[in-house]
Amino acid sequence: MSHSLDAYLILSALLFAIGTFGFLARRNAISMLMSIELMINAVNLTIVAFGAFVARLQLHAAVIALLVIAVAAAEATVGLGIIMAIFRNRKTPLVDEYDSMRQ
Amino acid sequence: MTLLIPLIPLLPLIGFVLTGLFGRAFPNEIHRVAVGSVVISWLIAMVVVVGALAHIGIDASGAGVKLWTWIPALGFTADFGLFVDPLTACLLIVVTTIGMLVHFYSIGYMAHDRGRWRFFAYLNLFMFSMLLLVLANDFLLVFAGWELVGLCSYLLIGFWYKRPVAATAAKKAFLVNRVGDMGFALGIMAIWTQLGTLNMQEVFARFSSVPGEWQVAIALLIFCGAVGKSAQFPLHVWLPDAMEGPTPVSALIHAATMVNAGVYLIARCNPIFGAVPGVMVVVAAIGIFTAILAASIAFTQTDIKRVLAYSTLSQLGYMFASLGVGAWTAAIFHLMSHGFFKGLLFLDSGSVIHGMSDEQDMRKMGGLAKKMPTTYWTMLVGAVAISGVPPLAGFFSKDEVLAGAFKDGFLWVWAVGFLVAGMTAFYMFRLMGMTFWGPSHVDPEVEHHIHESPPSMTRPLILLAIPSIFLGMLIGFPPDSGLIHQWLAPVFEATIAAHGPSEAAYSLFGIDGALMIATTALVAVAIVVAWRLFGVSIPSLNLHAEPRPDRVRELAERPGLAELYTGSSHKWWFDDINDFLFVRWGSRLAAAVWWFDRVVVDGTVNGVGAVTVEAGTLLRRVQTGRVQNYALGIAIGLIAMAAGYLFISVR
Amino acid sequence: MPVGDSIPFTSIRWEDLLFLGLSAMLLGSAILVVTLRDIIRCGIALMASFAALAGIYLLLGNPIVAATQVLVYIGAISVLILFAVMLTQTKNAPGRLVFQTQAWAAAVAAVVVAVIIIAAILATTWPATIEPVATATSKVGQLLFHDYVLPFEVVSVMLTMAVVGAVYLARREPDTREEDQL
């Protein structure tokens, strides 16, 4: 089983689906951010899995995975900064109470 | 020389812009700009006039200057071009001179009005518009000036817009003018459809190629415009009400210049009118009917300005009659002399009103001769001039009109005009008697501060009295070959040669002399009757008579005369007829149209709007404003796309 | 005594057991992340899932990515998130509902996403080797600092910008009273 690419990819798909659910369902903005992290990790798992099983991609996959981690770190930083700014204005972390886009 | 022409209207326009822009900031100084621009414009105009009349730089057929192509539409071009010939020059003399004097007069007359800068701005705009109208060489440009003077008239009649009467009068003038202007506009369109050009010289040159019925239509439509602007029957009702405006406006616009625009237009279009004798008869009939109608109303009016307004109507009727019988030169001559003496009379009446603390009712005046000597003497000059007493201006011009009618075969025009000459003299001396002679009926409150007007007002009076006395002798003597005939001969000779009846030469001891003597005698009788009824007091001539109000009352109640008196004092019920025909029935028609508009048109439009709003109200619930709802939408969309792609690739 | 490739008495290989254990830990903690009421516990579960994923990277023979995963995700991002939690949570927030009104729809969407991706994975024939090949860290290093040096620098600049941006977004508005004191 650990020698099957499909197993890793399916694991990644499940992780991605869990992240999707969290992003769509959670009320808390920070929870949504965590869900995004889960989805990014799912993608990264796919990349590393391809790197391990496809010889042509091997080294490149590792580099790309590292770059993805770096970008995810940047994303998390900015995302949390935005959450802090909104929280200071709205006094709540609950996303469904941010309704100023409603007219 | 032609380079100077555009400056004449341009300067008042600049004055208008400056006055309008900076008037609020410098309300006490800005009139210097307005007056200054008009004075310079006058100087330039005089140079051009001399050039045009003495043929220095401008030959007898006139000189045009095309500034730019105004509307270069495909197949339709209208040029912004100006044109000066002797006819224009005559109008320039009247417009710029009287305009300038009225500007001077207004400095004093409007001194206590807070809106003085606004007044001067409007006056400058009027000067520009009127000069544009007179100088334009294109029917469309004439129409632009035509509408602009109408606008200025509206603005100036309603100058004291806080008074409901003034606002209503302004609206009335504007609306009645629209009726005439509509005709003029249709006439211009007709000219274009027939000739494909609106340039005046081209139109006149090629007018004979227009089919006969179109010639008649065009002439009638242009005449319709002239009737509106010059307040001829049946569109005469606006002019008396226009007296609600400040008196300088009455003098400038509603006596000396704008109302003459109709006369000018017909004289300018003499090749058009000369080609259709039938329309000429209509012009003469309308003119002479207006003359006697207005004169009969002037008999019984008590407002000093309204008497003068009806007198203006009457004199304009003379001019139209003169145009109609083919005495073109006489019409323009009367236009010029009337411009000066009627402007003078109006400014005098303004001086009286000013001195009387805004009292206009002649029944509350009397005995003002001693208190306001300059006003009195100049007004006497005006009254004598308009009455046609030789050798003042009115005598020569009116005599030419009557002689023209008589000798061109329009005996009925002459007969009515002859009567009107007597009536004119009577009502003018009625006015003089009630205002300046006889015992005072002035309110004691007002009595002690009656005063002569300041020099800024009396100087223009004196300056206007001079041409009122000498103009006739200067340019109208000898009749038929005076300067005015030499000036205007190039303008009218072609039309007269082609269509007009040929006049017999003037002869002092023939028919002309007889007519002259008859008219003068009638005028003398009328003046004496007026003296007997309303009083006179001229110590230097040893003339003295007490007014006899009892006899006036007795005459007014005599059977036969009583009906005439009532009719005259009710202005022959024209306002009532208009009220019934147009206001009552018009408002019913308007109400029906409004109902249609409200229910059918608005109903459709509002229905469409309501459906849109309802649909939007339903659809807006989709927009929750919550990020995650939108994210779910994105997810569903992506799923659909992925599933679709998967489905296609699997199949 | 050397340990065999497979668990004694079964044909199950050790690696498979490790994979199953790590997978269970990964998915279980991920589900906890998206379902727990207390956001602090969510954060801790997130750290657990990151750790499990690092293990899976090791299983795939990629130690450098695994190490980075531990350093960046567990060491930095999780801590950042926990700090954000401390700064933003009000007292009444955990008492409220955890999920949106659209939670059921979200669950269905998530399941459908999983099904579609798995269907696509199973329908595809991958040009894969039989078993994972370990990645040599030194070669990754050479590649990263040789062929990929430009993307590397771009990412570093982007990180700097992200830091500056985050500071700008999260900073407090200048206090006027402090300016007065200055």
Side-chain angles (χ1 to χ4, degrees):
Chain A
M1 197 182 281
S2 65
H3 288 179
S4 153
L5 177 58
D6 284 2
Y8 289 98
L9 293 180
I10 290 167
L11 179 63
S12 158
L14 291 173
L15 187 60
F16 189 84
I18 292 168
T20 309
F21 170 75
F23 181 76
L24 294 177
R26 292 294 295 232
R27 296 178 75 203
N28 196 304
I30 293 178
S31 289
M32 288 173 68
L33 204 69
M34 292 181 191
S35 305
I36 293 174
E37 296 300 335
L38 286 180
M39 288 194 275
I40 291 173
N41 271 299
V43 173
N44 231 7
L45 174 55
T46 316
I47 292 170
V48 174
F50 275 121
F53 283 94
V54 182
R56 193 156 46 84
L57 302 176
Q58 197 178 31
L59 294 173
H60 300 279
V63 171
I64 291 169
L66 289 175
L67 293 180
V68 168
I69 290 173
V71 173
E75 177 266 338
T77 318
V78 174
L80 287 170
I82 291 172
I83 289 172
M84 297 299 295
I86 297 178
F87 178 77
R88 194 169 298 128
N89 281 330
R90 292 310 192 83
K91 309 294 178 210
T92 174
L94 300 181
V95 175
D96 55 358
E97 291 175 14
Y98 301 159
D99 57 355
S100 59
M101 267 162 63
R102 181 181 200 152
Q103 201 49 260
Chain B
M1 183 63 83
T2 52
L3 290 178
L4 289 176
I5 297 171
L7 287 176
I8 302 172
L10 183 65
L11 281 162
L13 181 64
I14 293 171
F16 162 66
V17 171
L18 291 178
T19 314
L21 285 179
F22 303 111
R24 200 181 287 278
F26 309 99
N28 296 321
E29 294 83 20
I30 199 71
H31 65 269
R32 294 175 211 277
V33 175
V35 175
S37 70
V38 173
V39 170
I40 300 170
S41 174
W42 177 77
L43 285 171
I44 297 170
M46 285 307 116
V47 173
V48 172
V49 163
V50 169
L53 296 180
H55 309 316
I56 304 166
I58 299 174
D59 59 20
S61 59
V65 49
K66 178 186 154 184
L67 295 182
W68 64 81
T69 301
W70 185 21
I71 303 173
L74 198 66
F76 171 74
T77 49
D79 291 340
F80 198 101
L82 304 178
F83 181 79
V84 171
D85 71 351
L87 174 61
T88 310
C90 290
L91 265 291
L92 279 180
I93 296 172
V94 177
V95 172
T96 54
T97 310
I98 299 180
M100 179 181 67
L101 292 175
V102 166
H103 270 78
F104 280 131
Y105 179 88
S106 302
I107 299 173
Y109 191 82
M110 300 300 285
H112 310 303
D113 197 297
R114 290 181 62 199
R116 182 161 71 157
W117 63 274
R118 198 160 56 86
F119 183 80
F120 276 102
Y122 291 163
L123 274 190
N124 266 6
L125 180 62
F126 172 78
M127 288 302 288
F128 162 72
S129 317
M130 190 68 205
L131 290 166
L132 184 69
L133 162 58
V134 169
L135 288 166
N137 193 23
D138 187 284
F139 274 106
L140 206 60
L141 198 56
V142 171
F143 190 70
W146 194 264
E147 292 298 314
L148 274 171
V149 291
L151 170 72
C152 296
S153 164
Y154 168 79
L155 290 172
L156 285 164
I157 295 169
F159 182 73
W160 289 311
Y161 53 85
K162 285 177 184 159
R163 285 167 43 193
V165 195
T168 315
K171 270 186 278 182
K172 184 174 179 181
F174 201 69
L175 290 174
V176 174
N177 263 305
R178 287 285 78 64
V179 178
D181 293 352
M182 194 65 215
F184 187 25
L186 287 173
I188 291 173
M189 293 174 204
I191 289 173
W192 192 75
T193 57
Q194 291 303 307
L195 291 171
T197 179
L198 290 178
N199 182 293
M200 285 187 154
Q201 312 310 315
E202 292 177 30
V203 169
F204 297 152
R206 288 162 46 199
F207 191 72
S208 52
S209 66
V210 174
E213 65 272 15
W214 278 101
Q215 289 187 338
V216 173
I218 289 170
L220 276 176
L221 286 168
I222 291 176
F223 178 57
C224 178
V227 163
K229 194 61 80 192
S230 291
Q232 293 298 290
F233 172 84
L235 299 180
H236 64 277
V237 288
W238 68 269
L239 187 57
D241 285 9
M243 299 303 135
E244 294 300 333
T247 306
V249 173
S250 308
L252 178 62
I253 301 185
H254 305 121
T257 53
M258 187 188 85
V259 290
N260 292 337
V263 179
Y264 163 75
L265 185 69
I266 292 181
R268 166 62 71 208
C269 298
N270 64 78
I272 293 179
F273 282 86
V276 279
V279 178
M280 295 281 278
V281 176
V282 173
V283 174
I286 295 273
I288 204 68
F289 180 69
T290 309
I292 189 162
L293 179 84
S296 70
I297 297 174
F299 265 34
T300 54
Q301 296 300 309
T302 53
D303 182 321
I304 185 167
K305 282 176 73 180
R306 277 177 186 263
V307 173
L308 292 175
Y310 281 106
S311 162
T312 307
L313 284 180
S314 177
Q315 301 302 312
L316 287 167
Y318 257 126
M319 294 173 213
F320 274 87
S322 175
L323 294 169
V325 301
W328 308 96
T329 308
I332 297 301
F333 183 23
H334 197 52
L335 185 159
M336 291 178 75
S337 62
H338 172 257
F340 285 108
F341 61 63
K342 186 52 66 68
L344 170 63
L345 285 168
F346 263 113
L347 293 185
D348 276 321
S349 78
S351 174
V352 169
I353 294 164
H354 193 73
M356 295 280 296
S357 311
D358 294 333
E359 179 60 63
Q360 302 195 6
D361 192 337
M362 292 193 296
R363 287 170 299 188
K364 295 181 182 163
M365 297 179 185
L368 296 179
K370 293 187 188 67
K371 287 169 181 147
M372 309 176 82
T374 315
T375 308
Y376 163 62
W377 280 108
T378 50
M379 191 148 192
L380 187 59
V381 167
V384 172
I386 194 176
S387 301
V389 174
L392 276 70
F395 166 75
F396 289 96
S397 60
K398 189 179 289 188
D399 178 73
E400 282 214 20
V401 171
L402 291 175
F406 191 89
K407 289 194 290 185
D408 290 341
F410 291 86
L411 273 179
W412 49 279
V413 173
W414 172 81
V416 178
F418 179 72
L419 197 59
V420 171
M423 291 161 80
T424 307
F426 178 80
Y427 66 68
M428 281 316 299
F429 278 86
R430 169 176 174 268
L431 184 151
M432 291 301 291
M434 288 178 84
T435 310
F436 291 103
W437 300 320
S440 170
H441 302 287
V442 183
D443 195 341
E445 285 282 309
V446 183
E447 176 92 55
H448 60 271
H449 50 77
I450 294 175
H451 56 86
E452 179 61 284
S453 300
S456 69
M457 287 167 70
T458 51
R459 274 186 213 126
L461 298 180
I462 296 164
L463 289 174
L464 276 172
I466 293 167
S468 299
I469 297 171
F470 296 107
L471 186 77
M473 288 180 269
L474 199 64
I475 65 173
F477 188 81
D480 264 7
S481 52
L483 271 177
I484 184 101
H485 287 270
Q486 296 170 19
W487 290 347
L488 291 176
V491 181
F492 299 122
E493 63 189 357
T495 305
I496 291 170
H499 310 282
S502 55
E503 289 184 26
Y506 171 78
S507 54
L508 184 56
F509 298 107
I511 188 73
D512 297 274
L515 290 174
M516 220 176 250
I517 290 163
T519 317
T520 310
L522 179 73
V523 165
V525 170
I527 291 175
V528 170
V529 171
W531 280 347
R532 282 294 174 85
L533 289 174
F534 298 100
V536 62
S537 174
I538 307 177
S540 54
L541 295 179
N542 204 14
L543 274 170
H544 191 81
E546 281 301 315
R548 302 284 301 275
D550 49 328
R551 286 194 57 194
V552 176
R553 209 173 301 121
E554 185 211 331
L555 278 170
E557 285 164 4
R558 191 179 288 178
L561 286 179
E563 289 80 9
L564 292 178
Y565 186 89
T566 320
S568 168
S569 60
H570 286 89
K571 310 163 200 166
W572 301 111
W573 299 283
F574 271 107
D575 282 334
D576 305 274
I577 292 169
N578 281 339
D579 185 59
F580 180 75
L581 274 184
F582 298 109
V583 180
R584 298 267 174 76
W585 285 97
S587 63
R588 278 178 206 177
L589 182 68
V593 173
W594 184 53
W595 176 87
F596 180 83
D597 187 62
R598 201 181 40 192
V599 174
V600 180
V601 179
D602 286 3
T604 313
V605 174
N606 290 343
V608 171
V611 166
T612 314
V613 169
E614 288 296 317
T617 313
L618 289 173
L619 282 173
R620 73 188 284 252
R621 296 195 185 155
V622 173
Q623 299 290 333
T624 56
R626 293 181 183 172
V627 187
Q628 284 168 308
N629 293 146
Y630 300 138
L632 182 62
I634 294 169
I636 292 170
L638 283 173
I639 287 168
M641 284 160 64
Y645 183 74
L646 208 60
F647 178 75
I648 291 167
S649 60
V650 165
R651 199 181 57 167
Chain C
M1 179 184 139
V3 179
D5 272 353
S6 54
I7 300 170
F9 318 115
T10 59
S11 61
I12 303 172
R13 284 182 295 176
W14 290 105
E15 289 175 344
D16 287 352
L17 189 66
L18 206 53
F19 175 75
L20 283 174
L22 288 171
S23 298
M25 183 179 165
L26 176 62
L27 294 178
S29 56
I31 286 170
L32 289 180
V33 168
V34 297
T35 52
L36 281 178
R37 174 175 294 269
D38 186 352
I39 191 101
I40 305 269
R41 290 184 189 171
C42 288
I44 290 164
L46 186 69
M47 290 166 81
S49 72
F50 287 160
L53 196 57
I56 289 175
Y57 289 155
L58 278 178
L59 205 58
L60 281 165
N62 206 332
I64 174 71
V65 177
T68 316
Q69 172 84 1
V70 171
L71 278 175
V72 174
Y73 271 106
I74 302 176
I77 295 180
S78 300
V79 173
L80 196 64
I81 286 174
L82 288 176
F83 265 105
V85 168
M86 286 194 299
L87 286 170
T88 57
Q89 294 314 297
T90 50
K91 285 205 174 101
N92 58 352
R96 303 249 193 104
L97 287 171
V98 175
F99 292 123
Q100 274 266 21
T101 46
Q102 61 175 13
W104 286 110
V108 172
V111 170
V112 173
V113 164
V115 168
I116 286 178
I117 296 176
I118 290 167
I121 290 166
L122 294 179
T124 313
T125 311
W126 303 104
T129 51
I130 304 301
E131 52 184 75
V133 180
T135 306
T137 306
S138 59
K139 289 190 176 167
V140 172
Q142 283 176 354
L143 195 62
L144 186 61
F145 291 108
H146 195 268
D147 288 3
Y148 282 92
V149 68
L150 185 64
F152 180 83
E153 291 301 333
V154 169
V155 165
S156 65
V157 170
M158 196 199 70
L159 272 171
T160 314
M161 285 174 1
V163 168
V164 172
V167 168
Y168 176 78
L169 282 170
R171 101 202 133 107
R172 289 181 191 282
E173 293 298 318
D175 201 338
T176 48
R177 279 174 301 173
E178 287 177 15
E179 284 178 358
D180 287 347
Q181 286 169 356
L182 289 170

mmCIF file of all heavy atoms in Angstrom, chain C residues 89-106:
data_model
loop_
_atom_site.group_PDB
_atom_site.id
_atom_site.type_symbol
_atom_site.label_atom_id
_atom_site.label_comp_id
_atom_site.label_asym_id
_atom_site.label_seq_id
_atom_site.Cartn_x
_atom_site.Cartn_y
_atom_site.Cartn_z
ATOM 1 N N GLN C 89 -9.906 36.054 20.055
ATOM 2 C CA GLN C 89 -11.094 35.393 20.575
ATOM 3 C C GLN C 89 -11.734 36.192 21.698
ATOM 4 O O GLN C 89 -11.087 36.554 22.678
ATOM 5 C CB GLN C 89 -10.741 33.984 21.071
ATOM 6 C CG GLN C 89 -10.304 33.079 19.948
ATOM 7 C CD GLN C 89 -11.200 33.159 18.736
ATOM 8 O OE1 GLN C 89 -12.360 32.836 18.806
ATOM 9 N NE2 GLN C 89 -10.660 33.622 17.619
ATOM 10 N N THR C 90 -13.023 36.461 21.527
ATOM 11 C CA THR C 90 -13.770 37.088 22.612
ATOM 12 C C THR C 90 -14.388 35.978 23.450
ATOM 13 O O THR C 90 -14.466 34.827 23.044
ATOM 14 C CB THR C 90 -14.872 37.992 22.041
ATOM 15 O OG1 THR C 90 -15.603 37.247 21.087
ATOM 16 C CG2 THR C 90 -14.277 39.195 21.384
ATOM 17 N N LYS C 91 -14.842 36.361 24.617
ATOM 18 C CA LYS C 91 -15.268 35.334 25.552
ATOM 19 C C LYS C 91 -16.513 34.606 25.073
ATOM 20 O O LYS C 91 -16.673 33.409 25.265
ATOM 21 C CB LYS C 91 -15.551 35.981 26.909
ATOM 22 C CG LYS C 91 -14.263 36.329 27.637
ATOM 23 C CD LYS C 91 -14.492 36.365 29.117
ATOM 24 C CE LYS C 91 -13.183 36.556 29.861
ATOM 25 N NZ LYS C 91 -12.999 37.932 30.307
ATOM 26 N N ASN C 92 -17.400 35.345 24.411
ATOM 27 C CA ASN C 92 -18.658 34.695 24.041
ATOM 28 C C ASN C 92 -18.548 33.913 22.744
ATOM 29 O O ASN C 92 -19.443 33.196 22.376
ATOM 30 C CB ASN C 92 -19.798 35.706 23.952
ATOM 31 C CG ASN C 92 -19.474 36.780 22.942
ATOM 32 O OD1 ASN C 92 -18.354 36.838 22.438
ATOM 33 N ND2 ASN C 92 -20.439 37.622 22.647
ATOM 34 N N ALA C 93 -17.432 34.089 22.014
ATOM 35 C CA ALA C 93 -17.361 33.462 20.690
ATOM 36 C C ALA C 93 -17.455 31.934 20.740
ATOM 37 O O ALA C 93 -18.221 31.362 19.963
ATOM 38 C CB ALA C 93 -16.074 33.880 19.989
ATOM 39 N N PRO C 94 -16.729 31.224 21.625
ATOM 40 C CA PRO C 94 -16.786 29.771 21.565
ATOM 41 C C PRO C 94 -18.165 29.230 21.900
ATOM 42 O O PRO C 94 -18.527 28.132 21.488
ATOM 43 C CB PRO C 94 -15.770 29.331 22.604
ATOM 44 C CG PRO C 94 -14.903 30.517 22.829
ATOM 45 C CD PRO C 94 -15.784 31.688 22.637
ATOM 46 N N GLY C 95 -18.947 30.043 22.632
ATOM 47 C CA GLY C 95 -20.268 29.558 23.009
ATOM 48 C C GLY C 95 -21.235 29.500 21.854
ATOM 49 O O GLY C 95 -22.241 28.810 21.889
ATOM 50 N N ARG C 96 -20.922 30.208 20.830
ATOM 51 C CA ARG C 96 -21.836 30.249 19.689
ATOM 52 C C ARG C 96 -21.689 29.008 18.829
ATOM 53 O O ARG C 96 -20.873 28.128 19.084
ATOM 54 C CB ARG C 96 -21.511 31.496 18.846
ATOM 55 C CG ARG C 96 -21.584 32.790 19.632
ATOM 56 C CD ARG C 96 -22.752 33.607 19.170
ATOM 57 N NE ARG C 96 -22.647 34.969 19.692
ATOM 58 C CZ ARG C 96 -22.271 35.987 18.927
ATOM 59 N NH1 ARG C 96 -21.946 35.772 17.681
ATOM 60 N NH2 ARG C 96 -22.241 37.185 19.430
ATOM 61 N N LEU C 97 -22.471 29.001 17.761
ATOM 62 C CA LEU C 97 -22.420 27.876 16.843
ATOM 63 C C LEU C 97 -21.047 27.780 16.171
ATOM 64 O O LEU C 97 -20.424 28.799 15.864
ATOM 65 C CB LEU C 97 -23.489 28.051 15.767
ATOM 66 C CG LEU C 97 -24.922 27.810 16.224
ATOM 67 C CD1 LEU C 97 -25.876 28.228 15.135
ATOM 68 C CD2 LEU C 97 -25.118 26.357 16.583
ATOM 69 N N VAL C 98 -20.610 26.531 15.968
ATOM 70 C CA VAL C 98 -19.331 26.328 15.308
ATOM 71 C C VAL C 98 -19.475 26.515 13.804
ATOM 72 O O VAL C 98 -18.630 27.096 13.136
ATOM 73 C CB VAL C 98 -18.799 24.923 15.612
ATOM 74 C CG1 VAL C 98 -17.517 24.660 14.828
ATOM 75 C CG2 VAL C 98 -18.565 24.776 17.086
ATOM 76 N N PHE C 99 -20.613 26.012 13.300
ATOM 77 C CA PHE C 99 -20.754 25.950 11.848
ATOM 78 C C PHE C 99 -21.712 27.004 11.325
ATOM 79 O O PHE C 99 -22.632 27.448 12.002
ATOM 80 C CB PHE C 99 -21.256 24.577 11.430
ATOM 81 C CG PHE C 99 -20.240 23.504 11.664
ATOM 82 C CD1 PHE C 99 -20.526 22.409 12.455
ATOM 83 C CD2 PHE C 99 -18.979 23.616 11.095
ATOM 84 C CE1 PHE C 99 -19.581 21.435 12.666
ATOM 85 C CE2 PHE C 99 -18.037 22.629 11.318
ATOM 86 C CZ PHE C 99 -18.335 21.537 12.106
ATOM 87 N N GLN C 100 -21.491 27.327 10.068
ATOM 88 C CA GLN C 100 -22.381 28.172 9.295
ATOM 89 C C GLN C 100 -23.716 27.478 9.092
ATOM 90 O O GLN C 100 -23.841 26.266 9.265
ATOM 91 C CB GLN C 100 -21.780 28.346 7.891
ATOM 92 C CG GLN C 100 -20.796 29.449 7.763
ATOM 93 C CD GLN C 100 -21.494 30.675 7.280
ATOM 94 O OE1 GLN C 100 -22.715 30.754 7.428
ATOM 95 N NE2 GLN C 100 -20.761 31.617 6.774
ATOM 96 N N THR C 101 -24.695 28.254 8.646
ATOM 97 C CA THR C 101 -25.968 27.635 8.275
ATOM 98 C C THR C 101 -25.821 26.722 7.063
ATOM 99 O O THR C 101 -26.623 25.828 6.853
ATOM 100 C CB THR C 101 -26.993 28.729 7.945
ATOM 101 O OG1 THR C 101 -26.358 29.678 7.108
ATOM 102 C CG2 THR C 101 -27.494 29.399 9.195
ATOM 103 N N GLN C 102 -24.782 26.941 6.293
ATOM 104 C CA GLN C 102 -24.639 26.137 5.075
ATOM 105 C C GLN C 102 -23.757 24.906 5.296
ATOM 106 O O GLN C 102 -23.216 24.365 4.328
ATOM 107 C CB GLN C 102 -24.068 26.984 3.952
ATOM 108 C CG GLN C 102 -22.691 27.541 4.267
ATOM 109 C CD GLN C 102 -22.096 28.274 3.087
ATOM 110 O OE1 GLN C 102 -22.762 28.575 2.134
ATOM 111 N NE2 GLN C 102 -20.808 28.541 3.170
ATOM 112 N N ALA C 103 -23.605 24.454 6.561
ATOM 113 C CA ALA C 103 -22.682 23.351 6.836
ATOM 114 C C ALA C 103 -23.033 22.091 6.065
ATOM 115 O O ALA C 103 -22.146 21.400 5.558
ATOM 116 C CB ALA C 103 -22.673 23.058 8.338
ATOM 117 N N TRP C 104 -24.322 21.777 5.967
ATOM 118 C CA TRP C 104 -24.708 20.559 5.240
ATOM 119 C C TRP C 104 -24.337 20.649 3.774
ATOM 120 O O TRP C 104 -23.770 19.705 3.210
ATOM 121 C CB TRP C 104 -26.204 20.291 5.392
ATOM 122 C CG TRP C 104 -26.529 19.782 6.760
ATOM 123 C CD1 TRP C 104 -27.192 20.408 7.752
ATOM 124 C CD2 TRP C 104 -26.137 18.516 7.278
ATOM 125 N NE1 TRP C 104 -27.249 19.644 8.886
ATOM 126 C CE2 TRP C 104 -26.595 18.457 8.619
ATOM 127 C CE3 TRP C 104 -25.417 17.419 6.769
ATOM 128 C CZ2 TRP C 104 -26.388 17.365 9.436
ATOM 129 C CZ3 TRP C 104 -25.223 16.329 7.592
ATOM 130 C CH2 TRP C 104 -25.702 16.313 8.909
ATOM 131 N N ALA C 105 -24.615 21.785 3.206
ATOM 132 C CA ALA C 105 -24.244 21.975 1.802
ATOM 133 C C ALA C 105 -22.742 21.857 1.635
ATOM 134 O O ALA C 105 -22.240 21.236 0.683
ATOM 135 C CB ALA C 105 -24.717 23.348 1.308
ATOM 136 N N ALA C 106 -21.987 22.421 2.607
ATOM 137 C CA ALA C 106 -20.529 22.350 2.536
ATOM 138 C C ALA C 106 -20.069 20.902 2.631
ATOM 139 O O ALA C 106 -19.150 20.479 1.906
ATOM 140 C CB ALA C 106 -19.931 23.178 3.660
#
